[in-house]
Amino acid sequence: MFDANDVLLGYHAVMRKFLTMVAVALCLSACAKRGTIEYAPPVASATTHDIWVASYRADVPSGQRGAPPRPAAPAYQRYTVSIPPTHAPGKIEWPSGTPDAEPDFVTVGAARYTSYRSFARAVAASDQSGEDETLLFVLGYNMRPGEAVYQLAQLKEDFAVPVPTVLFSWPSAGVGVGYIYDRDSVLISRDWLEQLIIDLTRDSRRKILLIGHSMGSQLIMETLRQIELKQSVDIARKIDGVVLLAPDIDAELFQSQARSLRTWPDPFMLMVAEQDRALRLSSLLVGFRPRLGSQTDRSAVEGLPVSVVDLTSLSNGFAFDHQIATTSPS
């Protein structure tokens, strides 16, 4: 027989742990400058990268509380991001004062496009690699636009990515308490991510490599499932591979999504870390359900053509160990 007092004590202990984790997350968000795109004149010693952005999110007016209504359609932009000559792999050197391209990540140029087709044509025209491929990155939970733009520029620099890099910026609330809003945004964003994939691969020669982080991984899986059901993209020919970094997906949901895929991109990789504290918080929010990105064994993907890469040993204590793949110098 159970004791009601024991149940209440257990519940209160869990809630104290949950509230402590939320408080830490909010403190980190409040204490750090959150992802502002800062402009500065270029310097000859810096490296520059073009980051192409399909931004499906509205600006939050100054002083507004809460997440804004989601826009009717994405906006299309290009940012030229300058990487400082003193850049250390795995880091984003944010401006701490007046933006300066010598020590900081800054933006030195920008352009807007009037339609998704003109945007896709510009992306293809920028490809000097000869590989006819585009890297398409889908941001994760609690990520603001500037953070994602600079994170992708850092990834492009650190991994020497030679192909055009495109960010799909879905409408994350960009706050620690916006988890449910963000999960709804993922579902609302499926059609626009599908449309972006269609347009980036419309040329018969072009392919994409899909990379998703955290909740962005769930958006990728939902969109692949939708593409398969509608047959809107030839997955075997057009998607060169999929990499899911710290995927914030329920393991059973992943299996359900996987059952819809007759064709799997090759390679298909999961990068996971057992101690991912952000995914522990996510697990608490959804009733102690384990998240795919913290499961280091293959049981969650048994029978699927999926490679699991365990990054647990690369822990650096940064960002709740939720971005090991992009922040660990190893």
Side-chain angles (χ1 to χ4, degrees):
M1 229 177 130
F2 68 85
D3 187 315
N5 288 329
D6 289 342
V7 172
L8 285 173
L9 287 171
Y11 171 77
H12 289 146
V14 168
M15 288 308 296
R16 280 196 301 272
K17 182 178 180 182
F18 166 69
L19 291 172
T20 298
M21 293 177 74
V22 169
V24 171
L26 290 176
C27 179
L28 289 173
S29 297
C31 295
K33 190 173 184 181
R34 292 294 308 277
T36 302
I37 293 178
E38 301 278 11
Y39 289 83
V43 296
S45 57
T47 305
T48 60
H49 296 295
D50 285 337
I51 304 299
W52 307 81
V53 183
S55 179
Y56 179 48
R57 59 198 305 163
D59 293 330
V60 181
S62 178
Q64 175 178 311
R65 299 186 65 183
R70 301 168 184 96
Y76 300 93
Q77 299 139 329
R78 173 185 53 76
Y79 295 99
T80 302
V81 178
S82 174
I83 312 293
T86 54
H87 169 64
K91 294 184 66 177
I92 297 174
E93 287 83 5
W94 292 100
S96 57
T98 302
D100 183 344
E102 195 69 44
D104 305 326
F105 270 63
V106 294
T107 301
V108 295
R112 290 184 177 271
Y113 297 85
T114 56
S115 70
Y116 53 81
R117 290 193 176 177
S118 64
F119 174 79
R121 286 195 295 267
V123 171
S126 74
D127 189 358
Q128 303 297 314
S129 70
E131 297 184 20
D132 293 322
E133 184 177 72
T134 300
L135 187 154
L136 176 54
F137 182 80
V138 182
L139 59 76
Y141 156 68
N142 187 18
M143 183 72 74
R144 295 188 179 180
E147 290 174 299
V149 168
Y150 285 9
Q151 183 183 70
L152 188 49
Q154 177 242 315
L155 185 151
K156 187 174 175 69
E157 171 73 10
D158 291 349
F159 289 90
V161 177
V163 300
T165 50
V166 176
L167 168 67
F168 181 69
S169 183
W170 54 272
S172 168
V175 294
V177 294
Y179 192 81
I180 302 303
Y181 176 91
D182 279 14
R183 291 186 74 183
D184 289 344
S185 290
V186 160
L187 299 178
I188 292 169
S189 301
R190 290 174 295 187
D191 290 349
W192 288 113
L193 179 56
E194 178 189 18
Q195 185 63 59
L196 181 61
I197 292 171
I198 290 170
D199 284 295
L200 290 175
T201 60
R202 191 178 297 276
D203 184 304
S204 61
R205 298 165 298 175
R206 297 206 65 79
K207 302 163 289 186
I208 61 169
L209 171 64
L210 268 172
I211 300 180
H213 176 245
S214 185
M215 201 179 284
S217 299
Q218 180 161 325
L219 176 52
I220 284 177
M221 288 302 298
E222 283 291 305
T223 305
L224 287 176
R225 178 182 182 274
Q226 179 168 304
I227 285 171
E228 184 71 87
L229 292 174
K230 293 168 62 177
Q231 293 291 289
S232 55
V233 175
D234 185 339
I235 291 176
R237 289 183 56 248
K238 291 298 187 177
I239 300 181
D240 253 2
V242 172
V243 182
L244 304 183
L245 312 175
D248 187 1
I249 308 176
D250 182 279
E252 290 179 353
L253 174 59
F254 184 77
Q255 286 281 351
S256 174
Q257 293 163 330
R259 283 194 289 271
S260 298
L261 297 182
R262 293 187 294 273
T263 304
W264 282 75
D266 183 20
F268 196 110
M269 302 174 65
L270 307 181
M271 294 193 174
V272 304
E274 186 175 1
Q275 81 286 9
D276 189 320
R277 292 184 291 280
L279 292 183
R280 288 180 190 173
L281 175 58
S282 173
S283 176
L284 284 174
L285 289 169
V286 296
F288 301 99
R289 294 292 305 166
R291 315 312 287 165
L292 193 64
S294 57
Q295 295 183 259
T296 55
D297 62 81
R298 284 194 53 88
S299 61
V301 296
E302 197 65 43
L304 300 176
V306 173
S307 300
V308 178
V309 181
D310 184 358
L311 304 180
T312 299
S313 64
L314 301 183
S315 171
N316 55 13
F318 178 76
F320 279 40
D321 278 333
H322 193 46
Q323 296 181 344
I324 294 175
T326 57
T327 60
S328 171
S330 300

